[in-house]
Amino acid sequence: MSLPRLWRKYYQQWLCGLCLIILFIALQLLTLSPASPYGDALKRLEGLGYDLRLKSTLSLHSRSFLPIVIVDIDEPSLKQVGRFPWSRHVMARLQSQLADAGVAVIAYDILFSEPELNPARQVLSHLDEQTTANVSHTLHALAPTIDADKAFASRLQETDTVLGLLFEHQPDILVGTLPETIFFSAIPAAALPVPNFAGHVANVSELQQNSPGSGFINSAPDSDGFIRNSMLLAKHQGQLYPALALEAARLYTMAEQVEVVTKPFGTGHSVEGIRLGTALIPTDDYGRVNVPYRGPAFSFPYVSAADVLNGQIDPALFDQAIIFVGTSAVGHADLRTTPVGVQYPGVEVHANVLEGLVFPELLPSRPNWMDGAVIMLLLLLGLLCVFILPRLEVLGIAVFTLCVSGLFITLSAYLWVKLRLDLPQVAVLAMLISQAMILGSLGFVREHKERLQIKSIFDQYVPPAHIQAMLDNPDSVSMEGEKRDITVLFADIRSFTTISESLDAGRLKSYLNQYFSPITRIIFEHQGTIDKYVGDMVMAFWNAPLPVEAHPELAVRCAMAMQDQVDALQEPMRQQSLPPFKIGIGLNTGDMNVGDMGSEYRRAYTVLGDAVNLGSRLEGLTKYYGVGILINETTYAQCSGLVCRPIDKVKVKGKNQAVTVYEPICSHEALTPAIREELDAHEQAWSLYLSQQWQQAQAAFTKLKERSPERKIYTLLSERILVLQANPPGEQWDGSYTHTSK
């Protein structure tokens, strides 16, 4: 099918499909960006897809495991020690127990933002002037020894320790002392697109000054409340600060400094990654990483803080381990919603992030080129749908969409499992589904219109079985002009002018209806297509609009059945006092132009060409030769099931090429010995005629004329032989006779 024809047929679906591609590319660019304030619903769907992918592949990942232990301030700990927050003396004892166990790093998912009251100083503040100097001196001397903050601060240096801090958006919240930045960046912090906070809740000065490290404990939930990624750095008052997990990773890897790797982005810069020692940890443009969850809650070893305080420590578990101190106790507001489960301890989120920072290959990532890859997928898969879906039925559309979607999901799963690449799925899958639904609906409407068009065009001209076949498969019908091998039939009532003059209008109409109705039925029964009725003439053809096998023989059998029907009509006509009649039928097979032709005012599905004209000429010659049916040599060559008699070799008016014409007699099954004998004699006489053996040919045709005087052909050929004997045609004669009239 040519491109212009495809365009006329599918242009609505193509244009709609291209618009869908543009729409989903725009959605990908404008709403699915992590920083975009739009498209929460789409982001939610993307998040659900991410969650499903993460949960379903947890067991498929081969991964390294850091010796991370969570010291949990759980319900038994609260029952033993008392309500939280605990005294810094308890925390100092906990710190000492862990340091003595040989841990490598301790990270507190706890805030120490307010100084703990010193009992001695509280008493001093209530003493009056009459209190003895000895009591006052004793309390002043006792105060440092029972100072809980000092006790805890003195233990912080026993091992690498990270204290937590919290950033706030309210600028009036400024509590505690912030640490100095550990970051190195060639770009000022103010120019980086990392989260910015106006307020902070940090640790008391004495603890902060004695802690080797500090990191913020803020979470970064998506719009649906799920924690899928984690901030590694944040801005506050023009300085960059690390997350708790990043600071713990720095101490664990003994990196002195953390470098922020940036790249130009438009008129500004974006974050490309965090260099921790020699390892580059890739992040998104805002310095965030996806949390590489090891599994559901409690996938890390948990040890009750009460057991640590009681000295019940497994040396093998704690030796050189990274310890996160936090709480899973209900009511302490540190339970999060995550892709791997709700009520997930927040301290374990930090543990997962730390493991990913030390082993960056565990981090699910979405590289900068991923957006471009998604846009290319949208474009390629969208174009594939645009050019394939319009050609498919409903079932084919469903199967195609499922297969393409399945392949895309398989690709996404492969990238996730093997390369830890987070390929966005919502835009692509939504586009595929939208293409299927909308293009399928437009295809249904187009198909319905085609059915109506086909039915309106062919209802009166094509057999009902053909119409149903065309409706079932509209693509099999070509309304465009095309060249095909077609057999055309012309049937005309002889002496119709004389007959019409003898009848009034009403009787003439009845006369023709009694003829046309059975003749049309016979043509339909033989899979023919009615081209037109012109007065008493019927024109039909075979092998269009649908292919018809063995159409030449089928058309000739139709012509023979029409002659039989005319014979059967003679008696009913006589009974109605209507004149008897005969018809002549001419058939020709050859290449003809067929299609929906005409003007903007009137059109018709018809055939044109020289082969059509020859069929009409043959119908006109039937009266001259006195036969009911004439076919050309091309038709005869494809009628192996029929017995035919050669009639003449002629050049019709307007043609220089001679053709041999035949009269169909009967089928091989109906051939009788008498007919066979006459045909053999005719074949012999015809052969003598073509070889210019005039006397023998004359004798043969004279004998045939005596045997069958009703056959006009024998008289014609006998008379022609006399002329040829008198005027020999010469050796170049091809045996043809030229007709000068139509």
Side-chain angles (χ1 to χ4, degrees):
M1 190 179 292
S2 64
L3 185 59
R5 184 180 174 190
L6 285 172
W7 171 256
R8 285 192 295 271
K9 185 172 185 178
Y10 299 124
Y11 77 95
Q12 288 182 324
Q13 289 164 286
W14 286 358
L15 291 177
C16 186
L18 292 175
C19 289
L20 285 174
I21 294 173
I22 296 171
L23 171 64
F24 281 98
I25 288 177
L27 285 175
Q28 178 66 32
L29 292 175
L30 298 178
T31 66
L32 292 179
S33 170
S36 172
Y38 311 107
D40 285 344
L42 290 176
K43 291 179 182 178
R44 170 64 172 155
L45 290 175
E46 191 71 70
L48 291 176
Y50 177 90
D51 299 346
L52 178 63
R53 192 161 61 245
L54 176 64
K55 291 175 66 175
S56 61
T57 58
L58 283 174
S59 60
L60 301 179
H61 292 299
S62 58
R63 61 185 293 164
S64 303
F65 292 93
L66 274 179
I68 299 175
V69 179
I70 295 175
V71 173
D72 188 14
I73 302 174
D74 52 10
E75 299 295 341
S77 301
L78 297 178
K79 185 176 181 180
Q80 173 181 313
V81 179
R83 68 180 184 179
F84 197 79
W86 292 339
S87 168
R88 308 285 160 78
H89 288 296
V90 177
M91 300 306 298
R93 185 154 54 92
L94 183 69
Q95 175 84 4
S96 293
Q97 292 281 36
L98 293 173
D100 293 343
V103 302
V105 177
I106 304 173
Y108 285 93
D109 186 21
I110 300 170
L111 293 176
F112 303 103
S113 57
E114 296 179 358
E116 184 173 336
L117 295 177
N118 189 314
R121 299 195 185 280
Q122 281 186 298
V123 173
L124 283 171
S125 65
H126 289 84
L127 292 179
D128 54 28
E129 296 179 357
Q130 298 178 356
T131 305
T132 63
N134 289 337
V135 173
S136 178
H137 177 76
T138 301
L139 290 175
H140 278 289
L142 180 62
T145 62
I146 62 173
D147 191 308
D149 287 341
K150 187 179 293 294
F152 186 32
S154 64
R155 300 293 193 275
L156 293 178
Q157 297 289 344
E158 293 179 356
T159 188
D160 285 337
T161 304
V162 183
L163 297 182
L165 57 93
L166 184 69
F167 285 117
E168 299 283 354
H169 288 289
Q170 293 87 343
D172 56 335
I173 301 178
L174 298 171
V175 179
T177 302
L178 289 173
E180 293 187 7
T181 183
I182 60 164
F183 286 104
F184 167 76
S185 174
I187 305 300
L192 296 178
V194 301
N196 184 49
F197 296 90
H200 68 264
V201 178
N203 298 287
V204 297
S205 178
E206 187 167 11
L207 297 180
Q208 184 60 61
Q209 292 172 1
N210 286 277
S211 176
S214 294
F216 61 83
I217 60 175
N218 296 70
S219 60
D222 289 342
S223 58
D224 57 4
F226 280 69
I227 296 179
R228 299 183 180 93
N229 52 63
S230 175
M231 298 184 295
L232 293 187
L233 60 160
K235 284 191 299 188
H236 176 66
Q237 296 181 351
Q239 295 292 325
L240 292 176
Y241 295 92
L244 183 73
L246 178 58
E247 181 68 348
R250 181 184 73 85
L251 295 177
Y252 184 74
T253 58
M254 295 183 289
E256 290 296 327
Q257 203 173 46
V258 179
E259 180 184 358
V260 181
V261 180
T262 61
K263 63 180 179 181
F265 184 77
T267 57
H269 291 80
S270 63
V271 180
E272 186 173 6
I274 302 294
R275 192 177 304 280
L276 188 63
T278 59
L280 178 63
I281 301 165
T283 69
D284 66 9
D285 293 339
Y286 311 97
R288 301 180 302 186
V289 294
N290 286 351
V291 181
Y293 289 100
R294 183 186 283 189
F298 305 102
S299 294
F300 290 85
Y302 274 69
V303 176
S304 175
D307 292 339
V308 175
L309 291 171
N310 295 332
Q312 298 174 2
I313 294 177
D314 180 2
L317 182 63
F318 280 79
D319 186 42
Q320 294 303 305
I322 303 170
I323 306 298
F324 279 91
V325 180
T327 177
S328 66
V330 177
H332 280 236
D334 197 30
L335 297 176
R336 310 294 181 180
T337 302
T338 70
V340 293
V342 297
Q343 300 294 303
Y344 192 95
V347 64
E348 194 168 352
V349 175
H350 299 298
N352 281 288
V353 175
L354 171 62
E355 192 166 51
L357 295 178
V358 177
F359 298 118
E361 66 274 10
L362 299 179
L363 292 171
S365 62
R366 186 178 292 183
N368 296 324
W369 52 263
M370 189 67 77
D371 285 337
V374 173
I375 291 173
M376 288 302 299
L377 282 171
L378 286 170
L379 184 61
L380 294 177
L381 295 180
L383 291 175
L384 187 66
C385 291
V386 165
F387 288 108
I388 291 181
L389 290 182
R391 304 185 179 207
L392 300 179
E393 300 292 336
V394 174
L395 180 60
I397 290 174
V399 172
F400 176 83
T401 304
L402 287 175
C403 289
V404 174
S405 300
L407 289 174
F408 173 72
I409 292 173
T410 301
L411 171 65
S412 176
Y414 173 82
L415 294 176
W416 175 265
V417 173
K418 295 297 183 181
L419 304 176
R420 300 295 285 169
L421 292 177
D422 175 24
L423 178 65
Q425 296 181 341
V426 166
V428 175
L429 293 177
M431 184 201 65
L432 291 175
I433 295 172
S434 299
Q435 293 271 32
M437 294 177 63
I438 295 177
L439 298 190
S441 299
L442 289 175
F444 177 80
V445 173
R446 173 182 53 78
E447 183 178 337
H448 180 68
K449 291 174 64 177
E450 287 179 349
R451 285 173 175 265
L452 294 178
Q453 182 183 16
I454 290 170
K455 186 171 178 61
S456 66
I457 292 175
F458 293 109
D459 208 11
Q460 300 179 29
Y461 306 99
V462 181
H466 272 31
I467 293 177
Q468 188 58 48
M470 289 186 287
L471 293 177
D472 292 340
N473 184 17
D475 287 340
S476 65
V477 184
S478 174
M479 301 302 296
E480 304 294 327
E482 60 177 325
K483 182 169 286 188
R484 281 197 191 183
D485 180 54
I486 289 176
T487 299
V488 67
L489 176 151
F490 288 89
D492 196 20
I493 298 177
R494 292 177 183 165
S495 303
F496 180 72
T497 302
T498 303
I499 293 173
S500 64
E501 290 175 350
S502 65
L503 299 173
D504 59 33
R507 287 170 60 79
L508 180 61
K509 176 183 176 182
S510 174
Y511 184 88
L512 288 176
N513 286 345
Q514 292 182 68
Y515 164 67
F516 281 135
S517 294
I519 291 301
T520 300
R521 173 180 51 79
I522 291 171
I523 293 173
F524 282 178
E525 288 175 350
H526 289 80
Q527 303 181 45
T529 298
I530 300 292
D531 186 300
K532 61 177 68 72
Y533 304 97
V534 181
D536 63 314
M537 188 270 290
V538 178
M539 176 181 172
F541 53 86
W542 279 255
N543 206 36
L546 292 182
V548 177
E549 293 185 2
H551 57 89
E553 183 170 331
L554 195 60
V556 175
R557 288 183 180 273
C558 176
M560 296 168 69
M562 291 168 65
Q563 290 289 5
D564 292 340
Q565 179 64 43
V566 168
D567 292 340
L569 284 173
Q570 301 310 309
E571 182 59 29
M573 292 292 187
R574 276 192 290 267
Q575 292 177 2
Q576 300 173 58
S577 299
L578 294 173
F581 66 95
K582 292 183 179 181
I583 64 172
I585 303 176
L587 297 101
N588 184 37
T589 301
D591 288 339
M592 305 177 194
N593 295 311
V594 60
D596 184 33
M597 303 176 189
S599 69
E600 60 179 307
Y601 302 103
R602 184 175 178 85
R603 304 182 68 82
Y605 188 80
T606 188
V607 290
L608 298 173
D610 288 343
V612 179
N613 297 333
L614 179 57
S616 178
R617 300 290 189 275
L618 294 181
E619 181 275 318
L621 292 177
T622 56
K623 184 176 182 180
Y624 175 83
Y625 290 106
V627 297
I629 305 172
L630 278 180
I631 64 175
N632 80 325
E633 56 196 16
T634 306
T635 307
Y636 167 74
Q638 300 180 64
C639 293
S640 58
L642 299 176
V643 177
C644 299
R645 181 201 333 263
I647 295 299
D648 202 355
K649 190 171 185 179
V650 300
K651 293 180 181 178
V652 298
K653 185 177 181 181
K655 298 291 181 184
N656 295 322
Q657 184 69 34
V659 295
T660 303
V661 295
Y662 295 81
E663 177 194 10
I665 304 300
C666 62
S667 65
H668 285 290
E669 297 81 10
L671 184 63
T672 64
I675 297 175
R676 178 75 272 170
E677 181 181 354
E678 182 183 352
L679 289 176
D680 288 344
H682 181 93
E683 290 279 357
Q684 185 178 7
W686 176 250
S687 178
L688 292 170
Y689 170 77
L690 292 178
S691 61
Q692 301 187 38
Q693 299 180 46
W694 307 124
Q695 292 183 354
Q696 295 91 328
Q698 178 72 11
F701 279 119
T702 300
K703 187 176 181 181
L704 285 168
K705 182 173 63 173
E706 293 173 351
R707 180 176 178 177
S708 303
E710 75 280 4
R711 299 200 188 281
K712 186 178 180 181
I713 182 63
Y714 300 146
T715 301
L716 286 175
L717 290 176
S718 295
E719 293 174 352
R720 188 185 300 170
I721 289 172
L722 294 176
V723 175
L724 291 172
Q725 279 183 304
N727 301 283
E731 295 181 357
Q732 301 300 320
W733 182 62
D734 60 0
S736 65
Y737 177 77
T738 301
H739 286 272
T740 57
S741 61
K742 293 185 179 180

